[in-house]
Amino acid sequence: MLHLNSSRSISDPSDPDAQLTANNGEYLVNISLGTPPFPIVAIADTGSDIIWTQCKPCTDCYKQDAPLFDPKSSSSYRTVSCSSNVIGCGHDNAGTFSPKGSGIVGLGGGPASLVSQLGSSIGGKFSYCMVPYAAAKPTSTMNFGTNAVVSGNGVLSTPLISDPSQPTFYFLQLEAVSVGSKKIAFQGSSIGGSGNIIIDSGTTLTLVPTDFFSQLSDAVETQVTGGTKTSDPEGFFSLCYDKVVCLAFYANDQLSIYGNVAQQNFLIGYDLPKQTLSFKPTDCTNT
């Protein structure tokens, strides 16, 4: 059994919500699993489908601060086939994970994701507002159902483009990026039919093709005044300024991704039946 906002279960969501917390490159969502409810904190990820957490006994688990979920303590725990849409228990896990998180909540478009499992009860709608990592108040609210509709002044919408061969991903068609008065056309990757970039809450940086990245970096450098250009101590970013403030884009010719840094301080609403994605400039610390 999966519970959102502690008191509401997946079988009776009633327009649920959940707390979203900024954490060093990722956003963690508070949910509860099992019977009785066991609280976990996991990465909110629109770029994947499976909902999973580290579980006892662990053959090889990454370090996490919170206690591990124990399937034996949950009366609703069952072993099912890998083809079933269930919540998964991870006993042998690898990857780059923060100790503050215990797994992933997949919010993608595939059948195993939280959005798909909630189904018609939320009308295919969810929204989030990501606070900047350095915000004094690092939390905001993720909404599902009617409360997730993004409306009002300043809202801009764009089509969500589906690709049956890659149902997990939410594809967009990015036409250009403006830096000052300069407009840089975006070609992107040949993915998702007519889509050229995916929006992914679980990826920190925005990944773009090398040629586009070069044009973008040059344009930003031309616009920045009063800052002293410097090197990234980690050797990862190519355009940084004093106090090590860097351009949160990265060159990648395999797949273009609209990462979560670029999504900060926008209320972003997904309407899957209408196949639209809406953006509203918002101070996310007030949501």
Side-chain angles (χ1 to χ4, degrees), residues 227-252:
T228 302
K229 194 174 178 182
T230 188
S231 299
D232 173 16
E234 303 295 327
F236 184 79
F237 295 102
S238 61
L239 183 59
C240 300
Y241 292 87
D242 51 349
K243 298 184 180 179
V244 197
V245 177
C246 302
L247 178 67
F249 284 70
Y250 194 75
N252 177 48

Side-chain angles (χ1 to χ4, degrees), residues 8 32 44 51 57 89 100 150-151 160 166 172 183 188 208 218-219 225 227 247 271 286:
R8 295 167 177 166
S32 296
I51 308 164
C89 254
K100 293 188 180 299
V150 177
S151 61
L160 279 172
Q166 302 179 81
L172 307 174
K183 188 175 182 179
V208 293
D218 290 345
T225 58
L247 178 67
D271 189 325
N286 290 329

Side-chain angles (χ1 to χ4, degrees), residues 189-191 208-209 251-256:
S189 310
S190 56
I191 55 173
V208 293
N252 177 48
D253 292 317
Q254 301 304 311
L255 181 64
S256 298

